[in-house]
Amino acid sequence: MNYRHVYHAGNFADVLKHAVLARLVTYMQGKDKAFRVLDTHAGIGLYDLSGIEAQKTGEWLDGIGRLLAGDLPADVADILAPYLNVVQELNPQGGLTYYPGSPKLARMLFRPQDRLSAMELHPDDYETLHRLFDGDFQSRITRLDGWLSLGAHLPPKEKRGIVLVDPPFEIEGEYERLVDGLEKAVRRFPGGVYCLWYPLKKGAPIAQFHAALKASGIPKMLCAELSVKSDRETTGLTGSGLIVVNPPFTLKTELDVLLPFLKARLAQDRFASSRSFWLAGENKAS
């Protein structure tokens, strides 16, 4: 209950997560039928980068700040357009004051038929999130442990959906909990698109986490990772990863364009790296 994303909003991990989430939403809109986004650990939804908390860490300066600091290659700009259009819409006077959390980003991309279910357990953050979406009939905000929503809120009544699982990783065993939660969710809603975020840092059990995901038998899983610096001299966050279950068929190709660019633009030392590969499904050896 101590984690507050306001200190980290707009950092390099948010850039990767939100760029991919925007692509998933855009892909789902290729069909007219409605879909739902279930955000299990939603935060407050909108962040003031000029506020005390964000200014205290300044993490956004090495994330969204760097991303917007220079021109983008045309192919990268196309991939990032849904994400960056929302950021620009929130800052109509130019500059960078407001940054969207995942629920706000998804909601601003919605068509009239699309829906949001956002879960937040922290009492203060829940109240802030609830006020942000007050009166919005396309959004349902619930104070709930997000892990419980993987059982109670699936499958969505629309029968199409994106499930974003972005836990704070502030207690031991979160990697295992992520695997268990995913297995439970997929049993209830096997056709859903799942996007799971996880941290990369010194000592993180990534190999074991990936092995457990493979052992789950879930048939189609794509992995994307971005590290901005070496983990040799810090115990803090040095990178982040995403597992996308049932990804759009275009996503692997887009990641192969986007990740090398993000590595170059967001690198904090010469050890920055990126990779995308299939954990299960097509072209596992790639």
Side-chain angles (χ1 to χ4, degrees):
M1 294 294 290
N2 294 321
Y3 179 87
R4 308 298 294 280
H5 191 69
V6 65
Y7 291 99
H8 314 289
N11 69 0
F12 66 85
D14 266 3
V15 168
L16 175 60
K17 175 179 63 180
H18 290 152
V20 170
L21 175 61
R23 297 308 301 169
L24 296 178
V25 170
T26 302
Y27 179 82
M28 294 290 283
Q29 293 171 340
K31 295 182 179 180
D32 290 337
K33 189 177 178 183
F35 66 92
R36 183 173 296 269
V37 171
L38 171 61
D39 192 337
T40 64
H41 298 77
I44 65 174
L46 183 65
Y47 299 91
D48 182 354
L49 299 181
S50 68
I52 294 172
E53 298 90 345
Q55 290 291 317
K56 183 176 181 179
T57 61
E59 290 187 18
W60 64 274
L61 293 168
D62 284 327
I64 187 63
R66 281 204 201 180
L67 187 63
L68 296 178
D71 293 336
L72 303 176
D75 52 355
V76 172
D78 287 344
I79 294 169
L80 291 176
Y83 165 45
L84 294 184
N85 287 345
V86 168
V87 174
Q88 290 164 358
E89 187 176 343
L90 288 171
N91 297 277
Q93 305 303 318
L96 192 56
T97 301
Y98 295 105
Y99 184 81
S102 301
K104 183 67 171 177
L105 174 65
R107 177 63 184 91
M108 289 181 68
L109 292 170
F110 277 179
R111 306 163 300 178
Q113 64 266 43
D114 303 326
R115 297 293 184 267
L116 170 70
S117 291
M119 312 296 153
E120 178 52 50
L121 183 60
H122 192 290
D124 295 337
D125 288 356
Y126 163 76
E127 290 297 336
T128 302
L129 184 68
H130 189 270
R131 285 194 300 271
L132 180 66
F133 288 98
D134 189 33
D136 178 5
F137 74 91
Q138 288 182 246
S139 303
R140 179 189 303 165
I141 311 303
T142 306
R143 188 179 176 203
L144 182 71
D145 181 343
W147 295 110
L148 299 178
S149 67
L150 295 176
H153 289 259
L154 293 177
K157 66 179 182 179
E158 295 82 6
K159 307 303 181 186
R160 301 180 69 226
I162 300 167
V163 180
L164 176 65
V165 187
D166 178 20
F169 281 84
E170 61 181 351
I171 61 174
E172 291 293 324
E174 291 285 64
Y175 292 94
E176 294 83 358
R177 202 175 186 186
L178 202 53
V179 176
D180 291 343
L182 177 64
E183 289 179 323
K184 177 192 299 182
V186 169
R187 283 196 296 270
R188 294 181 63 90
F189 184 35
V193 176
Y194 296 84
C195 186
L196 283 62
W197 181 90
Y198 60 95
L200 299 176
K201 55 186 178 179
K202 188 173 184 177
I206 303 304
Q208 298 95 313
F209 173 55
H210 287 172
L213 286 168
K214 291 179 182 179
S216 72
I218 295 170
K220 198 170 181 182
M221 293 184 285
L222 181 62
C223 178
E225 292 184 344
L226 172 68
S227 294
V228 297
K229 60 183 176 180
S230 168
D231 63 8
R232 296 177 185 177
E233 297 180 2
T234 179
T235 57
L237 188 71
T238 58
S240 70
L242 297 172
I243 303 294
V244 183
V245 175
N246 297 325
F249 73 94
T250 55
L251 187 60
K252 177 63 167 70
T253 300
E254 292 178 347
L255 288 171
D256 289 342
V257 173
L258 180 62
L259 285 171
F261 169 80
L262 292 180
K263 180 188 75 171
R265 178 66 64 92
L266 305 182
Q268 297 180 23
D269 68 21
R270 64 188 179 90
F271 297 102
S273 63
S274 65
R275 60 176 182 160
S276 67
F277 60 95
W278 292 98
L279 270 175
E282 349 185 335
N283 304 319
K284 286 188 290 184
S286 65

